[in-house]
């Protein structure tokens, strides 16, 4: 089962439904993912099980990023040994900062995107025109309801400028937050259908002109933090009336000096969750168009 946000073939409007692999059944009375995430875990699960709206063949619907309304996307950093090593290597003046946060009690959390800026499956991501080294960061995304409960999982690409974030830790927002830097999808896998979120294989493939130029595999078993711990810190002093997506950090970072280029295809697969595929463009104008 997947919870999908899509364009209804009947009305042409955005809709939310349950995809069983053969058909998508709309959730009557629920028009946004944000509305669904206002429900407590048990009620949300019951609502999904009782989907009774119009049905559409799965292949006939156009999926949208499962982020809308007042939802926000946040991210955790330095939660895997590989991400710690990458930050230390690229940092020119403050490598110790990343060494310290890896084992600190408080995790690194940062804002990533508002809902309307998020790219979905088969969409475009962008790299900054003022950056030389840019990479995708494949991450397991926690789908959190308004009550801070983990109700599902999705795939997140936390696109990042290694050039900018390596100069100074205070430049992290510019390296991480810009138009085209966040992709989420293709859907939400309910938490009750994933037996062990700490045993999910993650694969990243980057192709260029039809050829694979980088690929790698890892697993959420390498995660240095507990998922409920990360969610708890996010909700400790903030509210999310339509829920939130929390990316949990990356364990796959291409070695320097690899960089994404215009026209590259990025494919991220997380076992039991889904596959997110996007195409790279360079610069703000290319993304705006």
């Amino acid at each position: 089962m997947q919870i999908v946000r899509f364009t209804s073939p009947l009305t042409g409007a955005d809709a939310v439904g349950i995809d069983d692999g053969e058909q998508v059944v709309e959730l009557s009375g629920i028009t946004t993912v944000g509305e669904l995430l206002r429900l407590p875990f048990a009620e949300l699960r019951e609502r999904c099980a009782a989907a009774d709206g119009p049905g559409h063949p799965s292949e006939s619907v156009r999926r949208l990023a499962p982020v809308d309304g007042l939802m926000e996307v946040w991210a955790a950093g330095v939660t895997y040994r590989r991400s710690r090593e990458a930050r230390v290597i690229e940092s020119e003046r403050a490598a110790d900062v990343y060494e310290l946060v890896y084992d600190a009690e408080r995790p690194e959390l940062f804002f990533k995107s508002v809902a309307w800026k998020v790219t979905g499956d088969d969409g475009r991501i962008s790299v900054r025109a003022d950056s030389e080294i840019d990479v995708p960061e494949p991450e397991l995304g926690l789908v959190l309801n308004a009550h801070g409960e983990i109700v599902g999982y999705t795939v997140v690409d936390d696109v990042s400028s290694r050039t900018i974030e390596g100069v100074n830790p205070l430049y992290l927002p510019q390296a991480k937050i810009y138009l085209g830097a966040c992709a989420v999808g293709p859907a939400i896998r309910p938490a009750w259908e994933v037996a062990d979120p700490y045993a999910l294989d993650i694969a990243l493939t980057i192709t260029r002109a039809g050829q694979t130029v980088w690929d790698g595999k890892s697993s959420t078993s390498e995660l240095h933090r507990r998922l409920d711990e990360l969610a708890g810190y996010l909700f400790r002093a903030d509210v999310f009336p339509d829920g939130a997506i929390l990316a949990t950090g990356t364990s796959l970072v291409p070695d320097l000096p690899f960089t994404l280029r215009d026209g590259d295809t990025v494919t991220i697969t997380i076992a039991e969750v889904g596959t997110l595929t996007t195409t790279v463009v360079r610069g703000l104008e290319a993304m705006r168009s």
Side-chain angles (χ1 to χ4, degrees), residues 68-132:
D68 56 24
L70 296 178
M71 292 178 66
E72 298 176 4
V73 180
W74 285 68
V78 198
T79 56
Y80 289 86
R81 183 177 299 275
R82 176 64 184 122
S83 59
R84 180 189 69 172
E85 293 171 348
R87 291 272 193 96
V88 169
I89 290 171
E90 74 194 11
S91 180
E92 297 179 10
R93 299 181 178 88
D96 288 349
V97 170
Y98 301 113
E99 292 279 13
L100 291 171
V101 77
Y102 182 73
D103 288 317
E105 178 181 353
R106 180 183 295 273
E108 176 196 9
L109 298 179
F110 58 90
F111 175 78
K112 182 66 182 179
S113 182
V114 292
W116 67 269
K117 289 185 178 181
V118 176
T119 295
D121 187 45
D122 289 332
R124 292 184 293 179
I125 55 175
S126 70
V127 295
R128 293 181 62 120
D130 58 355
S131 175
E132 296 176 359

Side-chain angles (χ1 to χ4, degrees), residues 39 50 60 70 103 106 110 141 147 172 174 177 190 221 252 273 289:
L39 303 176
S60 72
L70 296 178
D103 288 317
R106 180 183 295 273
F110 58 90
H147 310 278
L172 186 70
Q174 295 177 66
I177 308 168
S221 63
L252 290 170
V273 178
S289 65

Side-chain angles (χ1 to χ4, degrees), residues 11 25 27 41 60 87 100 103 109 132-133 165 175 186 210 247 251 283:
T11 65
V25 179
L27 289 171
F41 184 99
S60 72
R87 291 272 193 96
L100 291 171
D103 288 317
L109 298 179
E132 296 176 359
I133 305 294
E165 72 180 34
S251 53

